[in-house]
Amino acid sequence: MWVFAAEAVPTELLEAARIDGSGELRTFFRVALPLLVPGTVTVLLFSMVATWNNYFLPLIMIKDPDWYP
């Protein structure tokens, strides 16, 4: 997660936090994590929709219980 945060967050923000005296952990939780939340939620939603589609589509296609695996 640290490597991903370091690449996803602009370097200027991380350096500004270091200049202000923030440690690595505080920089992650106060600067990087809030910027990563929208992308994480988007990936979570796409993953949920894909999982639901993989479950629901076969359920619609196979209506007869005798055809169930």
Side-chain angles (χ1 to χ4, degrees), residues 7-45:
E7 291 181 16
V9 177
T11 309
E12 293 85 11
L13 287 176
L14 297 176
E15 289 181 7
R18 286 188 191 111
I19 290 173
D20 288 342
S22 178
E24 293 297 320
L25 197 58
R26 185 174 181 144
T27 301
F28 178 74
F29 283 109
R30 296 288 183 156
V31 177
L33 195 60
L35 290 172
L36 296 174
V37 168
T40 305
V41 170
T42 303
V43 169
L44 176 72
L45 288 174

